[in-house]
Amino acid sequence: MATPRIVVVGGGAGGLELVTRLGHKLGRRKQAEIVLVDRNPTHIWKPLLHEVATGVLDSGLDEVSYQGHSKAHGYQFQRGTLSDLDRESRTITLAPILDEDETVVLPARNISYDYLVLALGSVSNDFGTPGVASHCHFLDSPQQAEAFRHDMLNTFLRYSDPERRAHPKLTVGIVGAGATGVELAAELFDASKMLHSYGFTALDSGKLDVHLIEAAPRILPALPERFGRTVHRELEKLGVNVHIDTRVTCADEEGFVTADGKRIETDLSVWAAGIRAPAFLSELGLSTERNHQIKVNATLQSLDDERIFAFGDCASCPQPGDKRVPPRAQAAHQQASLMARNLSAALQGHPLKDFVFRDRGSLISLAHFDAVGSLMRGASARSLFVEGRLAKLFYASLYRMHQQAIHGTVKTGMTVVVDGLNRFLRPKMKLH
């Protein structure tokens, strides 16, 4: 019999952890052929994109090459963008790969599968707000984070000349006070201090004006209220102008207009509000939600095809009490673990297990200034509130857990040592 093939589309946190597990368990033993498909050649942990955007994290040092990683962990990598799905013949089509001059480097290809896993994550949702797509930065990919970083550096340089300043202070507007918006707001003050210390700009953090705009009655609306109050207080201490109950109705090259007719003028505009799955998922012939998430049952199988699975932010997975799995990195991590077991079971004809999300708490980093978090305490779901150095330690451990899942304990330990050395050998932020 031919070796079964499992194709995973999307090499984000969940997708890469899944193929690593499957490669170790099935690929190396020749029990299945594991194929990862992603449009990018490298992986970087999405919760760190706000650090890439401010230059605090050098993506060139922390990104993982899919090609190199696949060779070491028992799976194959195919670069490409999913463009079509044929469920009858069990094949997916990848769009052609083009170079910078729009010349075809690799033509469209078909890849057959026995089991297909969609792990395409999510993107920001601008809700069709006029002007947002044209005038705002998004932080959904490393490329977008790098684009913001270049624009940020150029804006700081421009403000070094008093005659070229559009406002008394360099002004950044961020729409969306979820984790990304909150962490970016804090990182900007850290970045401005470092740029000033390196002599990159004459501006220090006192000449930076950051507006964090949230339509809900409080920031971090998806997290416990005490959590949001503490973070709100810390942001205001940094100097962030927090606008709650403020809905943006349009964006232009000069900033934002709110529902009450007020204008917030900016030099840099960022949209970090709302999430949705990639729109093309609703064109594959599978049942989806209004936000394009694929509808799956508790075993993470599509409602329409038992050989197609979806998990992470691109999937709408039911939970007890008519709830849905929240779009969080820890959920994707837990689902990847169950998915590896369920795919192994499916190959052997065994029943699959249901996914039940276990909330381990939430952590928010406010750059080097502080961190705030809540840790869930056992089955009682009572939370332990932490902040300061202890919260920073737990926050850093989240990334190390991801690294351990994709690299193993030994390599992760070595990476920790190298990262410590780089703090002394390299600038504290990427300046070019």
Side-chain angles (χ1 to χ4, degrees):
M1 295 180 62
T3 304
R5 176 182 290 167
I6 300 172
V7 177
V8 179
V9 182
L16 187 56
E17 289 186 20
L18 174 60
V19 294
T20 302
R21 292 176 183 271
L22 292 174
H24 292 174
K25 189 172 184 178
L26 303 173
R28 287 176 173 173
R29 300 174 183 176
K30 308 299 181 183
Q31 295 178 3
E33 183 181 353
I34 314 301
V35 180
L36 173 66
V37 174
D38 197 278
R39 68 176 64 188
N40 297 310
T42 59
H43 160 86
I44 192 163
W45 200 45
K46 191 174 181 180
L48 294 179
L49 287 180
H50 67 282
E51 294 187 11
V52 175
T54 55
V56 175
L57 181 73
D58 188 338
S59 60
L61 295 176
D62 281 75
E63 62 189 359
V64 178
S65 166
Y66 291 123
Q67 208 75 59
H69 189 269
S70 66
K71 179 176 175 59
H73 294 276
Y75 67 93
Q76 302 171 29
F77 172 64
Q78 290 272 356
R79 186 179 175 189
T81 301
L82 176 65
S83 62
D84 198 12
L85 165 65
D86 188 334
R87 288 163 49 198
E88 185 174 348
S89 64
R90 293 181 191 163
T91 61
I92 60 171
T93 300
L94 304 185
I97 295 178
L98 309 178
D99 63 14
E100 294 81 1
D101 300 320
E102 300 296 314
T103 302
V104 175
V105 176
L106 196 62
R109 293 149 288 151
N110 291 328
I111 299 178
S112 62
Y113 66 85
D114 292 284
Y115 291 95
L116 175 66
V117 181
L118 300 174
L120 288 152
S122 62
V123 296
S124 298
N125 191 350
D126 65 9
F127 306 103
T129 307
V132 170
S134 303
H135 300 290
C136 292
H137 286 279
F138 296 84
L139 300 181
D140 298 320
S141 69
Q143 292 82 3
Q144 291 178 342
E146 283 290 341
F148 174 83
R149 189 180 65 82
H150 284 290
D151 201 359
M152 178 192 75
L153 292 177
N154 287 338
T155 303
F156 269 101
L157 279 177
R158 185 174 72 249
Y159 262 70
S160 294
D161 181 358
E163 295 183 359
R164 302 195 64 198
R165 297 177 185 177
H167 308 103
K169 294 183 178 182
L170 192 158
T171 308
V172 183
I174 304 169
V175 178
T180 298
V182 165
E183 293 180 333
L184 177 63
E187 287 287 354
L188 285 168
F189 282 92
D190 204 17
S192 66
K193 284 188 174 183
M194 283 191 280
L195 288 172
H196 180 69
S197 70
Y198 284 118
F200 186 91
T201 175
L203 301 182
D204 59 18
S205 59
K207 293 295 184 180
L208 179 65
D209 202 5
V210 177
H211 294 266
L212 183 62
I213 308 164
E214 172 57 53
R218 62 185 179 88
I219 67 171
L220 299 172
L223 300 179
E225 187 173 352
R226 178 187 177 187
F227 200 103
R229 287 199 306 268
T230 302
V231 174
H232 190 142
R233 185 170 59 249
E234 293 301 317
L235 288 175
E236 289 187 329
K237 286 181 182 178
L238 289 177
V240 178
N241 299 292
V242 181
H243 307 261
I244 56 174
D245 274 324
T246 304
R247 184 172 63 87
V248 170
T249 56
C250 72
D252 56 34
E253 60 183 6
E254 295 180 351
F256 299 107
V257 176
T258 63
D260 57 5
K262 294 181 180 179
R263 171 172 285 277
I264 300 175
E265 295 189 351
T266 65
D267 296 291
L268 291 168
S269 299
V270 181
W271 189 273
I275 68 160
R276 62 173 177 81
F280 78 90
L281 291 179
S282 294
E283 303 171 2
L284 298 179
L286 301 173
S287 298
T288 58
E289 304 282 5
R290 291 181 60 185
N291 66 352
H292 311 299
Q293 287 182 316
I294 297 170
K295 294 181 180 180
V296 299
N297 56 34
T299 59
L300 303 177
Q301 293 169 292
S302 163
L303 300 185
D304 309 289
D305 192 326
E306 65 179 10
R307 287 182 174 266
I308 297 178
F309 294 74
F311 76 106
D313 291 2
C314 75
S316 175
C317 178
Q319 293 290 276
D322 198 28
K323 297 180 180 180
R324 290 290 184 269
V325 175
R328 292 158 67 180
Q330 63 171 305
H333 173 77
Q334 294 175 27
Q335 288 177 325
S337 179
L338 178 74
M339 182 77 72
R341 294 195 297 270
N342 274 355
L343 286 167
S344 296
L347 291 176
Q348 300 172 36
H350 295 165
L352 309 187
K353 293 184 177 181
D354 291 350
F355 175 74
V356 178
F357 174 62
R358 292 175 173 80
D359 193 345
R360 306 300 187 191
S362 303
L363 292 159
I364 297 292
S365 172
L366 302 178
H368 82 275
F369 306 106
D370 199 1
V372 179
S374 61
L375 306 177
M376 305 306 288
R377 301 167 67 180
S380 66
R382 292 184 301 169
S383 61
L384 173 65
F385 191 80
V386 294
E387 57 183 324
R389 290 185 178 181
L390 182 60
K392 290 290 288 184
L393 178 63
F394 281 119
Y395 185 87
S397 71
L398 297 177
Y399 183 40
R400 298 308 180 190
M401 289 172 60
H402 172 63
Q403 289 179 312
Q404 185 178 28
I406 64 175
H407 294 310
T409 302
V410 174
K411 188 172 181 179
T412 300
M414 296 171 64
T415 301
V416 172
V417 174
V418 172
D419 289 347
L421 292 173
N422 277 331
R423 292 192 183 96
F424 296 97
L425 299 175
R426 302 177 62 88
K428 292 183 178 179
M429 70 178 301
K430 190 176 182 181
L431 300 168
H432 58 279

